Amino acid sequence: MNIICPQCGFSRELPADRLPARAVIATCPKCACRFRFSAEAGVLETLDAPTARAAAPGEDDPLPPGAIVPGRSPEHTAAETADTTEDGGGRRTESAPGQAEPEEEDIRRTASKAYAREAARLEPETERDAGHTVEANPWETAPGRNGWLAAFYQTVMRVMFAASRFFGALNPEAPQLRALSFYLVVCVFQTVVERFWGGMLLTIMAPSAATDPQLEKMLALLAPQTNLAMTLLLRTALLVLQLYVFSGLVHLAYRFVAPDRTSFPLVFQVMAYSSAPALLCVIPGLGSLAGMIWGLACMAVGCRAALRLNWPQTLLGFVPVCLVMAPMFLQLLSAVQA
């Protein structure tokens, strides 16, 4: 996106992955104009447009050492400031040619830092935590400073409780292997936990099944037919296949709904990271159901934020997935009623 200052016309190209998910305030590094803009609507309003007065001939420069004059480079400003010093009587005198003032290097360094800070304000602010820059997606840079477990935990928390902000900062050029590895960790954890709760249920209901033939038949159907290693292998392979199929269907739908905004890498990442709520399976009973509903909500919010869509476009993209899932839900409902 090309961000253009409404005051002086200075422009800067900002990559799509750095665009903010909401309206932010930017300051033009050339004229110091402060304005509010968003990725969808562009410049919304101008807050103020401060200007600097240049010194007239014969007048002392009113700017303090290290001040930044809009429209001039930091080196030019620092050189002008360093060329004059005050003598003991308070009058300003010029330095001799080739003679370096003691404070010249400090002035240049201060001016460069201030100019860099002003230039950086045209870019969205990064999230900070205890004075350190926090990555938008900790799993992409794992193990990082705190290791794999901390990166996984932080990513899960952001997906579940800050979905719009997390998915809005996804990088379309990020390797899909990172998102896939996150998905595999969730799948393995979910399979092991559900196997554990299933075994607990069979153990509790086994005494009652001895006197109830129907309950005994039902428990026989629920009992695992393979060992844990084979279950992990088969179920993980099935879930990975499901991930790619659903990502392809949603991407195909968005090719018709919003062809200029769709991106398979972004859709794939949204689908993979939206598996985070499945960790609620640690709660026996309704944990798995709550995790599935929460995950669907994260998918919708994620596609809207990552692809910059509106809600009608977002929901239309899930129509093919609903058509594929409908027969499975109907079969499950018939089995429950029977």
Side-chain angles (χ1 to χ4, degrees):
M1 178 179 180
N2 193 23
I3 304 175
I4 302 176
C5 173
Q7 182 72 18
C8 67
F10 175 80
S11 64
R12 171 169 294 172
E13 188 70 25
L14 194 64
D17 58 301
R18 298 292 304 277
L19 290 175
R22 61 184 188 281
V24 297
I25 297 175
T27 301
C28 177
K30 184 176 181 181
C31 69
C33 172
R34 299 176 68 247
F35 57 93
R36 189 187 306 275
F37 80 97
S38 67
E40 297 180 355
V43 177
L44 300 176
E45 60 176 332
T46 302
L47 302 182
D48 57 34
T51 58
R53 182 178 66 87
E59 290 184 354
D60 289 341
D61 191 349
L63 298 178
I68 300 301
V69 179
R72 287 186 284 177
S73 65
E75 291 80 4
H76 182 66
T77 304
E80 290 181 349
T81 307
D83 283 343
T84 59
T85 57
E86 292 188 2
D87 60 12
R91 293 172 300 178
R92 302 174 69 87
T93 60
E94 294 187 358
S95 302
Q99 181 180 0
E101 294 293 336
E103 298 180 356
E104 181 177 352
E105 187 63 27
D106 293 338
I107 293 174
R108 290 179 181 273
R109 187 181 299 110
T110 302
S112 299
K113 290 181 179 179
Y115 186 83
R117 285 196 302 268
E118 290 298 322
R121 293 184 62 179
L122 264 181
E123 300 183 3
E125 295 183 0
T126 56
E127 186 178 354
R128 297 184 177 272
D129 181 18
H132 300 285
T133 301
V134 180
E135 297 293 339
N137 185 354
W139 188 252
E140 273 190 16
T141 56
R145 293 184 297 110
N146 300 319
W148 289 98
L149 185 60
F152 182 80
Y153 172 78
Q154 292 171 4
T155 304
V156 169
M157 291 295 102
R158 296 185 186 196
V159 171
M160 295 181 65
F161 300 104
S164 181
R165 188 172 184 178
F166 174 83
F167 289 113
L170 287 180
N171 181 12
E173 299 180 359
Q176 296 183 13
L177 186 59
R178 281 284 179 165
L180 180 61
S181 63
F182 180 90
Y183 182 78
L184 289 174
V185 172
V186 175
C187 290
V188 170
F189 181 85
Q190 183 182 12
T191 301
V192 172
V193 171
E194 290 182 353
R195 178 72 175 259
F196 172 78
W197 289 127
M200 292 289 293
L201 179 64
L202 292 176
T203 302
I204 293 174
M205 300 189 67
S208 301
T211 58
D212 190 341
Q214 293 184 351
L215 181 60
E216 184 179 4
K217 184 183 296 185
M218 184 184 70
L219 292 181
L221 294 175
L222 295 176
Q225 305 299 322
T226 58
N227 57 32
L228 180 60
M230 185 60 65
T231 301
L232 282 173
L233 181 62
L234 295 177
R235 183 172 181 182
T236 301
L238 180 62
L239 290 176
V240 170
L241 177 62
Q242 174 182 295
L243 171 65
Y244 277 97
V245 170
F246 284 0
S247 299
L249 289 174
V250 173
H251 173 64
L252 181 62
Y254 285 141
R255 289 290 298 271
F256 293 96
V257 176
D260 58 330
R261 298 190 179 185
T262 185
S263 168
F264 180 80
L266 285 178
V267 173
F268 180 83
Q269 290 183 69
V270 169
M271 294 294 175
Y273 288 116
S274 294
S275 63
L279 299 176
L280 292 177
C281 64
V282 296
I283 304 174
L286 299 178
S288 296
L289 179 61
M292 182 182 66
I293 297 175
W294 201 330
L296 292 175
C298 289
M299 288 181 190
V301 173
C303 287
R304 180 176 183 269
L307 303 179
R308 307 295 193 269
L309 304 172
N310 54 37
W311 276 116
Q313 291 174 327
T314 302
L315 297 179
L316 284 174
F318 286 88
V319 170
V321 176
C322 294
L323 294 177
V324 173
M325 295 292 294
M328 304 166 80
F329 280 110
L330 292 176
Q331 185 177 3
L332 180 61
L333 183 61
S334 301
V336 172
Q337 291 179 349

